[in-house]
């Protein structure tokens, strides 16, 4: 059976427009412009403190800025919020068939809890690995390796779902079979980052074949 490892932002819900708007306002307040393309190329899926180190090196308190930015995100996140098409059904199947499952995200814990609650799936995940609580966040494979350790599974049992280059690199480097979700990036970009295959969303007809290849793998 497969062990399912899910990123959150842009994978289980299309929350990137909210993050993008907050970042645009932050940049504008500092006299800078931020385009959608720049956000997707340089910021999408990365830890906030790494983004600020690159783009706002003179800010005195990167962690405080990160806390403020994510509080803005939570304030603007509607509840309930629509999950990515098909993900609720996949999680329901995983619960019914007792497949191991975990969240692996660079979002801070308060955000992860808020997003899972907003899409109605919080109760189905006991393992939630937070990048900033790990020694290294994505694109390092450590968060995925930690999720597998907590679930008691090996990489050959794991399917990871990711929508960002940093996440795809992390998942692929961990040894998990990496599925890119094309919520914001195209097939080529996600494959270049490490995805084995990409799907439009969780209703994609290719998903059952992906899961079927793990049918005989014991968890």
């Amino acid at each position: 059976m497969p062990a399912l490892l899910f990123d959150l932002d842009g994978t289980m819900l299309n929350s990137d427009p909210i993050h993008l708007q907050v970042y645009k306002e932050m940049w504008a307040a500092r006299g800078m412009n931020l385009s959608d393309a720049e956000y997707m190329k340089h910021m999408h899926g990365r830890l906030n403190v790494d983004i600020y180190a690159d783009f706002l090196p003179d800010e005195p308190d990167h962690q405080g800025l990160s806390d403020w930015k994510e509080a803005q995100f939570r304030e603007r996140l509607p509840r309930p919020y629509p999950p990515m098409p098909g993900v609720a059904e996949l999680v329901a199947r995983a619960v019914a068939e007792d497949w191991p499952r975990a969240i692996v995200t660079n979002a801070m814990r308060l955000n992860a809890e808020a997003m899972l609650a907003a899409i109605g799936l919080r109760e189905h995940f006991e393992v939630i690995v937070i990048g900033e609580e790990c020694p290294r966040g994505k694109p390092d494979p450590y968060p995925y390796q930690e999720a597998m350790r907590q679930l008691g599974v090996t990489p050959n049992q794991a399917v990871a779902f990711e929508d960002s280059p940093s996440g795809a690199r992390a998942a692929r480097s961990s040894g998990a079979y990496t599925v890119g979700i094309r919520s914001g990036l195209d097939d080529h970009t996600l494959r270049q980052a490490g995805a084995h295959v990409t799907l439009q969303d969780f209703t994609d007809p290719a998903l059952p074949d992906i899961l079927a290849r793990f049918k005989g793998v014991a968890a």
Side-chain angles (χ1 to χ4, degrees):
M1 68 180 74
L4 305 183
L5 311 178
F6 295 93
D7 174 54
L8 263 173
D9 279 309
T11 299
M12 297 187 81
L13 66 163
N14 190 12
S15 49
D16 282 311
I18 305 173
H19 289 290
L20 175 59
Q21 184 57 39
V22 176
Y23 267 121
K24 283 186 172 183
E25 293 172 11
M26 289 173 61
W27 260 230
R30 291 160 176 78
M32 302 183 293
N33 293 319
L34 176 65
S35 70
D36 294 13
E38 288 171 330
Y39 169 80
M40 294 303 295
K41 182 176 181 180
H42 299 296
M43 302 160 70
H44 183 224
R46 297 180 64 199
L47 288 171
N48 287 337
V49 292
D50 292 338
I51 293 170
Y52 303 148
D54 287 347
F55 295 98
L56 302 175
D58 296 328
E59 289 282 339
D61 183 5
H62 286 171
Q63 187 58 55
L65 188 61
S66 177
D67 291 344
W68 177 86
K69 182 263 172 183
E70 299 308 335
Q72 287 292 308
F73 169 79
R74 293 192 301 276
E75 184 176 304
R76 302 179 193 201
L77 177 67
R79 295 156 172 87
Y81 195 82
M84 193 68 72
V87 74
E89 291 77 9
L90 176 58
V91 171
R93 179 183 177 189
V95 171
E97 300 187 23
D98 199 26
W99 296 350
R101 54 200 178 274
I103 301 296
V104 184
T105 178
N106 268 353
M108 65 190 305
R109 185 165 292 277
L110 287 173
N111 283 31
E113 295 281 354
M115 285 186 282
L116 281 170
I119 62 175
L121 297 177
R122 175 62 186 91
E123 65 182 303
H124 300 310
F125 290 90
E126 294 184 7
V127 175
I128 302 177
V129 177
I130 304 296
E132 68 178 12
E133 296 175 3
C134 296
R136 300 172 299 280
K138 304 173 191 178
D140 193 275
Y142 186 96
Y144 275 103
Q145 294 166 338
E146 175 62 15
M148 288 184 239
R149 185 192 69 79
Q150 291 191 34
L151 292 176
V153 302
T154 57
N156 70 310
Q157 299 166 319
V159 183
F161 298 96
E162 277 284 355
D163 73 305
S164 71
S166 64
R169 285 194 291 271
R172 180 67 177 259
S173 296
S174 76
Y177 187 84
T178 304
V179 179
I181 300 297
R182 301 192 301 270
S183 58
L185 298 173
D186 60 20
D187 176 85
H188 175 75
T189 302
L190 289 167
R191 285 181 183 268
Q192 285 289 102
H196 290 89
V197 66
T198 72
L199 306 176
Q200 182 60 47
D201 55 39
F202 295 90
T203 66
D204 195 302
L207 180 58
D209 289 339
I210 293 170
L211 298 176
R213 71 176 58 203
F214 294 88
K215 185 176 181 180
V217 180

